[in-house]
Amino acid sequence: MAGSEEEARYSRQLYVLGGGARRLPKSAVLVSGLRGTGAQVATALVLAGTGRVVLHDCDDACTADRTHQFLLGESDLGQNRAKASERALAELNPHVVVETHSGELSEAFLASFQVVVLTESPLEEQLRVGNFCHAQGISFIVADTKGLAGQLFCDFGECFVIDDPEEGDPVSAAVQHISQGNPGVVTCMGTENFQDGDLVIFSGVQGMTELNGQEPVPVHVLDTSRLEISDTSSFSPYRCGGLVSRVQRPEECSHEPLCQALEKPKIQMANTEDLPRSLSLHAAFRALHAFRRKRSRLPRPRAPADAEEVLELARSLGAQQAPLDEDIVLAFASVSAGDLCPVAAVVGALAAQEVLKAITRKFQPLNQWLYFDALECLALPGAAELTETDCAPRGSRYDGQIAVFGANFQEKLRHQKYLVVGAGAIGCELLKNFAMMGLAAGPDGELIITDMDTVALSNLHRQLLYRSADISEPKSVVAAAAVQRMNPDVRVTPHLNEVGPATEMLYSDNFFRHLDGVASALDTIEARTYLERRCLRCHTPLVDSGTEGTQGNVLPMVPSLTKPLVQASTPKDGTFPLCTLRHFPRTIQHTLQWARDEFEGLFQLPAEQVNQFMEDPDFLKQQQPSKVLEQVWDSLRERPRDWQDCVHWARRRWQSYYHDIIIQLLHIYPPEHETSPGVPFWAGDRSCPHALTFNPDNDTHLDYVLAAAHLFAQVHRVPPCRDRAAIQATLRDVVLPPFAPQEGLQIPLTEEPAEESQVPTDHRHLTQITRDLVQWRQELVGDEEAQAPLMEPIHFEKDNNVHIDFITAASNLRAENYGISPASWLMSKQIAGRIVPAIITTTAAVAGLACLEVYKLVWECQDLSCYRNSNINLSTCLLLRVQPQPAPTYRYGGREWSCWDRLEMQGVGADGQAVTVQEVLDWLQRTHGWTVTMLLCGDDVLYDSKAAAETRAQQQAQRLSEVSRDARMLQQQDLELLYICEGEDAEAEDTGPPLLCSLP
């Protein structure tokens, strides 16, 4: 039942690519050109599991390649670039065949590929290969980067079919009612995602069962809760339940060959206002090809004559669809000899995503050109004054970067101190880029990586720095070693810590203030928000990055310049009303959450309670609730002696959950039950369940028993057995007593905290339980085996196959009880594990965009117009980069303040001790003329002018080191105080800037 190793490896990617991913292992892709962009394309395809990737390059690796080609080592210099890259790529994924080719790209050779990608190719070769691929139905992609700009072109042929154009699960809604009529009207929970003409199917409908499994029918949207469908007048009356789901219809697109698209380009962009800029870049790239053909070289960095020649060639190309932006062309040409790893990462990732679209037929392909640039970097203060001498090659691995930013900037990069928080997918890509950039590669530089996690199999399809041999090793340690292999000069230090409240002694204010910047690669909103708050407090530059599926964003936070980051609201945690989970589930999400709760209630909490009982001699004296004592008693009473006992326990659980409890529910509320005359109980949100009958030949029944028995055995340290045939034989012999429903039981119908009927405590039974527990404890304490914790609590782990086996079977059996469509193993894993879909292409692109912002931070740019917030969606090839919002200001105390402003006071008196509260009040009066009426530190009131005189005197005399009850605040070197001044409304929205008092 569990997923294969391939599913475990690619699970996060499968949630992005869907069923089309099954085509990847059978595909063959040619990547021509193994400089930075080609290396990024090839790496993404190998990590994603493309069946065969062939590398083509006729040139040898040189020192300057190491600015952006992260697959090359020092020993690879002088070797064929493709051959030198082959070994590193093959190590990334043993399931992918990586080959090389250094000969001509002949038609016979090209014919064996489904996709051909050209990078760094002459225009003549692009046209020749493009024409052949178009004629043969081979998807053709051109990806090229020059300096701070890149271009992408796609030709998937004249009739390319997209099987699944959209991202995410199919649109669906829970049915509440269906009328009998012509047309029938479906009332459901939310129709905003449906459109007129959509085809839908129905499942799990009770009563009007004729709809279940029917061919897709078109809908007409009536309003926010009703859909009109075909004739239902002859169908059975609707009773309850059901799901209406939109059927994804294939779409077609038609592409022109490069020879035509070159002259009349169709350019995709986020904003129509960007069209003139993209057209100018289109002309600039064409002119650059002409310059290279004429001069056999690229324009020299910052050489005005060469840039002017490129501009003249662009002018000569003929009529433009828009006026040529000559400044764009000149800026592009002046740094076109440069090679930047971040730019290669962005364009290479976009190109790789288009390859995956061509293979999987998932998502709309690019139509047909896309241009990307970060030419705003040339507006950095002083950048315009760089000369040809400043940017000339030095025989260094960083020559490609020096060509853009100059040698002095390269020296500045070497001295940076940066913290990377998180060494997952984005973290790996950031670190790879930092290594290529030479960040912290000087003797006083430092790159700190911190991550608490260890490498897992499911990381390997998107986390570049890890290999199969690294599984279970600390991510930060493995990542640091990988960075040093890429660039031995980088001073990298791994930490295994979370950056959070618990580690503020280690990551103090002084620590943050001594950093040049922080790169956030965290995967939770809470962690990202905490880090943003710390950087805001300490005035530390921050670049925040995040992804979900094919979407990603990058947000730079620059002290005193940009608006602090505002994180999205914390997503809902997937909780549902208990009455819904226990008795009235309507969707597979409900049954999966119920299964998660059962996992904890069966395999974690009981073991923890028993261990506490065994380890704490006073457990029984602590007035434990009777329910807890009964649970401990049950757990000890059910202790298995062997594997057979575990199987019998699991079989009894199956009977209880999927038969007995349902029979009891239907005894209380029979199918014909009415809440009031004429109003059926089982209607609307309540689906009438039916009990299941156990069958050892039913795979789902057997899956449940096998997984539950395995976990129960693990809890009790009993050796498990995975022999399905033996378990089937055991189960055939199990005979359970018939179930008789109890009378008088009540089941809550809402989440209202109704007054629970007080069931009188059975003191005699409780006394017997206590006696049994005392006796069992005495017996077990004397047992040598009981010296260790008696039971092993199991915490749910989304990447543990047995855990997902149990969740999937438990959920699907409950779904069968209630007529809900089951979920696959993979879908169950995603929903129950709350897994965020992820893919290497998105993380690589986001990290590249983040590193472009790091360039600006290292430059210490204070021009807001140079920075960019970036949003990408690779499923639609959308790339949006906008200027961040400026730091907001407010007026207080007769002057204007920025949200970044802080008051700073030396919190140490002449005696070397922390100052008193009165000294703080005096300082504010003396320095700013403010009479403070209330002083606060967090939730603690340090001073209140309205307090009694004696209390005020005590408050004023206290030292800052004594006043806070929050020990964590005292771990900071600076205590942050807030205040309210005379004449100020305590409820006013604008308060004064916080006061930071430096403690001894």
Side-chain angles (χ1 to χ4, degrees), residues 170-473:
V171 173
S172 62
V175 176
Q176 294 178 310
H177 185 263
I178 307 174
S179 69
Q180 288 176 293
N182 187 12
V185 176
V186 181
T187 304
C188 49
M189 301 176 67
T191 64
E192 59 271 9
N193 292 320
F194 290 94
Q195 297 178 356
D196 285 348
D198 281 348
L199 295 179
V200 301
I201 56 173
F202 291 85
S203 60
V205 174
Q206 295 187 30
M208 196 177 285
T209 55
E210 295 89 342
L211 284 174
N212 295 330
Q214 189 184 56
E215 287 297 309
V217 296
V219 299
H220 170 59
V221 180
L222 295 176
D223 52 38
T224 57
S225 62
R226 294 183 304 154
L227 301 173
E228 198 174 74
I229 59 172
S230 54
D231 185 1
T232 60
S233 57
S234 62
F235 291 173
S236 307
Y238 173 81
R239 193 168 80 224
C240 61
L243 194 71
V244 55
S245 303
R246 184 171 70 190
V247 176
Q248 197 65 264
R249 287 189 283 188
E251 297 180 7
E252 291 184 4
C253 74
S254 179
H255 284 166
E256 295 176 343
L258 178 62
C259 57
Q260 296 177 23
L262 199 62
E263 300 300 330
K264 294 183 179 179
K266 290 184 287 185
I267 301 178
Q268 194 163 314
M269 65 208 80
N271 293 313
T272 54
E273 310 92 76
D274 294 335
L275 180 59
R277 186 183 191 91
S278 292
L279 286 170
S280 295
L281 286 169
H282 183 75
F285 268 93
R286 290 188 67 184
L288 192 66
H289 281 294
F291 181 97
R292 195 168 194 175
R293 188 164 55 248
K294 179 181 178 182
R295 300 287 185 183
S296 299
R297 62 172 175 84
L298 289 170
R300 290 185 297 271
R302 306 283 180 165
D306 284 359
E308 286 290 345
E309 186 173 345
V310 172
L311 176 59
E312 189 57 40
L313 288 166
R315 290 177 183 142
S316 69
L317 288 172
Q320 298 286 325
Q321 291 176 283
L324 185 68
D325 188 328
E326 296 189 354
D327 289 339
I328 292 290
V329 177
L330 287 170
F332 165 78
S334 70
V335 294
S336 58
D339 291 306
L340 299 178
C341 189
V343 176
V346 174
V347 176
L350 291 170
Q353 185 66 51
E354 296 305 305
V355 175
L356 296 179
K357 291 178 185 179
I359 296 169
T360 64
R361 297 182 180 268
K362 171 76 172 176
F363 306 134
Q364 282 280 358
L366 171 66
N367 188 30
Q368 285 190 257
W369 291 95
L370 181 139
Y371 283 92
F372 164 79
D373 78 87
L375 292 173
E376 74 276 359
C377 291
L378 298 183
L380 294 168
E385 286 73 49
L386 289 172
T387 66
E388 190 173 347
T389 302
D390 295 327
C391 301
R394 273 123 171 105
S396 157
R397 69 175 291 165
Y398 306 115
D399 277 354
Q401 198 161 252
I402 290 171
V404 178
F405 295 112
N408 289 341
F409 178 73
Q410 189 61 51
E411 191 63 24
K412 196 167 188 177
L413 278 167
R414 297 177 69 236
H415 301 296
Q416 295 295 298
K417 292 181 173 63
Y418 257 74
L419 170 68
V420 177
V421 187
I426 297 175
C428 283
E429 291 294 323
L430 288 171
L431 292 167
K432 172 257 290 180
N433 292 341
F434 287 164
M436 296 297 100
M437 292 160 59
L439 189 80
D444 56 347
E446 186 173 23
L447 180 59
I448 300 170
I449 312 165
T450 187
D451 196 306
M452 298 173 63
D453 207 357
T454 56
V455 179
L457 178 61
S458 61
N459 301 149
L460 301 185
H461 81 277
R462 68 193 189 284
Q463 298 184 15
L464 168 70
L465 304 183
Y466 308 131
R467 308 290 182 267
S468 298
D470 299 321
I471 290 175
S472 299
E473 296 296 322

Side-chain angles (χ1 to χ4, degrees), residues 69-83:
Q69 221 286 27
F70 50 88
L71 300 172
L72 300 176
E74 188 73 32
S75 61
D76 296 319
L77 301 181
Q79 298 183 39
N80 175 271
R81 204 181 280 129
K83 196 69 181 175

Side-chain angles (χ1 to χ4, degrees), residues 12-29:
R12 276 62 168 173
Q13 176 178 282
L14 290 171
Y15 301 134
V16 180
L17 298 178
R22 68 181 181 276
R23 299 188 178 106
L24 281 170
K26 302 174 184 176
S27 61
V29 180

Side-chain angles (χ1 to χ4, degrees), residues 31 33-47 53-57 61-77 79-93 98-100 119 341 344 397 428-429 431-433 435-436 463-467 482-483 485-487 840:
V31 179
L34 263 294
R35 300 184 78 241
T37 307
Q40 185 66 63
V41 174
T43 298
L45 296 180
V46 170
L47 287 172
V53 177
V54 178
L55 315 174
H56 170 259
D57 200 306
C62 63
T63 300
D65 287 337
R66 303 192 69 201
T67 308
H68 56 137
Q69 221 286 27
F70 50 88
L71 300 172
L72 300 176
E74 188 73 32
S75 61
D76 296 319
L77 301 181
Q79 298 183 39
N80 175 271
R81 204 181 280 129
K83 196 69 181 175
S85 303
E86 179 185 14
R87 178 187 52 79
L89 286 169
E91 287 178 354
L92 288 175
N93 192 338
V98 181
E99 300 172 351
T100 63
T119 71
C341 189
R397 69 175 291 165
C428 283
E429 291 294 323
L431 292 167
K432 172 257 290 180
N433 292 341
M436 296 297 100
Q463 298 184 15
L464 168 70
L465 304 183
Y466 308 131
R467 308 290 182 267
V483 167
R485 285 194 299 272
M486 289 181 173
N487 189 341
I840 177 61

